[in-house]
Amino acid sequence: MQIAFIGLGNMGGPMAINLIKAGHSVKAFDLSQDALAKVKAEGGQAAASAQDAVQGAEAVISMLPASQHVEGLYLGSGNLLASIAKGTLVIDSSTIAAATSQKVAKAAEGLGLDFIDAPVSGGTGGAIAGTLTFMVGGSDAALERARPLLEKMGKNIFHAGAVGAGQTAKICNNMLLGILMIGTSEAISLGVANGLDPKVLSEIMRRSSGGNWALEVYNPYPGVQEASAATRGYTGGFGTDLMLKDLGLSQENAAAVKASTPLGALARALYAAHSLAGHGGEDFSSVIKMLQKNG
């Protein structure tokens, strides 16, 4: 299949490469020339623009940072939807507001395009390994069209409901993830302040009732897990500012439906403080820094 892939960051780049490895023809676009070069080195094509990428595409996949980027791409000055051939499948895997997905989907439907929102979970490791979890919002028919592509990038595919439902599921998941990362960081920091080995403590908790994803595969303490962002100086993972954005989306949604999310609100406040302290570009697990005993 001829695929246009727009957005080649820490998640999008590996996702595009997995499609290439599966035998698809991928024409990709990103503002970063380095990101384009990595995809080109794996056999992909580098497009000069998003409009160039979608020419002749049977499917368009986007993975962008925030709502404004997705709306700007598809409906803004570039009006990319108008450049996509009728009948094309459009998959947006960005994590954005459900209302934005619904707005883009409505415009796409008016142009004869199938649209699904399909945000992901699983981190950069999952993107590289092709084991991501997709949370899909859209029609049954559109999902079945997308499934052969999603299966090349992920291991789990869930149909959450109509367009926008994938985004709602994702912000619920990431709100919980933010809370769990803070709690895990607090527990490890407390143990280390008492002289415990962080690796031993992490293994004890991992195999006990405190076990969670952060302890399993994304430990926030440097040196505990070789593949974690913490061991790489909190680089190359899911940024603090991206987590802050997702927690903000969760709180906007909670206010809109009058849901009570006190821990989600506290997590957002803590990540906002962490970002203001200069750690916005670091992996979100770096939140442990604000919880560690000094000296």
Side-chain angles (χ1 to χ4, degrees):
M1 185 179 289
Q2 179 68 40
I3 301 168
F5 205 110
I6 302 166
L8 304 172
N10 290 336
M11 299 294 289
M15 290 166 67
I17 288 170
N18 281 333
L19 289 171
I20 295 167
K21 290 179 178 178
H24 295 290
S25 178
V26 176
K27 193 171 186 180
F29 176 71
D30 193 277
L31 295 175
S32 167
Q33 292 302 309
D34 287 343
L36 280 171
K38 289 178 183 178
V39 170
K40 193 173 180 181
E42 295 291 340
Q45 304 172 64
S49 65
Q51 285 75 14
D52 178 36
V54 303
Q55 298 306 308
E58 298 168 80
V60 177
I61 303 173
S62 51
M63 175 60 99
L64 301 174
S67 296
Q68 64 266 29
H69 303 109
V70 174
E71 186 169 348
L73 173 70
Y74 288 114
L75 304 177
S77 57
N79 194 17
L80 188 65
L81 286 181
S83 300
I84 301 172
K86 186 176 181 179
T88 302
L89 171 66
V90 180
I91 303 170
D92 180 47
S93 287
S94 316
T95 297
I96 60 176
T100 301
S101 290
Q102 291 160 350
K103 183 177 180 179
V104 175
K106 184 176 181 180
E109 183 181 359
L111 293 170
L113 306 172
D114 275 341
F115 179 93
I116 63 171
D117 57 297
V120 302
S121 180
T124 53
I128 294 168
T131 57
L132 294 170
T133 293
F134 283 91
M135 307 164 206
V136 179
S139 69
D140 291 335
L143 171 56
E144 290 313 307
R145 285 189 67 189
R147 191 178 295 277
L149 300 179
L150 302 182
E151 287 175 341
K152 302 304 180 185
M153 300 180 285
K155 185 177 181 181
N156 304 298
I157 302 168
F158 293 101
H159 192 187
V163 170
Q167 300 296 348
T168 301
K170 177 62 187 293
I171 63 171
C172 291
N173 178 80
N174 276 24
M175 182 179 74
L176 179 59
L177 174 60
I179 293 168
L180 287 173
M181 183 57 76
I182 292 169
T184 298
S185 296
E186 283 189 357
I188 293 175
S189 297
L190 176 61
V192 170
N194 279 279
L196 296 184
D197 183 322
K199 186 173 290 188
V200 173
L201 175 59
S202 293
E203 185 63 11
I204 290 170
M205 295 191 295
R206 187 180 75 84
R207 295 179 178 273
S208 303
S209 56
N212 64 71
W213 187 82
L215 287 169
E216 287 285 344
V217 299
Y218 218 79
N219 197 290
Y221 201 94
V224 173
Q225 290 170 336
E226 184 178 345
S228 73
T231 301
R232 301 191 304 269
Y234 301 103
T235 62
F238 183 61
T240 289
D241 281 345
L242 289 175
M243 174 55 80
L244 179 58
K245 177 209 68 170
D246 290 357
L247 288 167
L249 288 172
S250 76
Q251 295 314 292
E252 290 171 11
N253 184 275
V257 300
K258 296 181 173 61
S260 178
T261 56
L263 290 181
L266 179 57
R268 184 189 182 283
L270 290 171
Y271 271 104
H274 188 50
S275 177
L276 285 171
H279 304 287
E282 296 176 354
D283 183 79
F284 81 107
S285 61
S286 66
V287 73
I288 195 172
K289 292 180 179 181
M290 69 186 300
L291 303 167
Q292 290 172 317
K293 180 180 177 181
N294 295 320

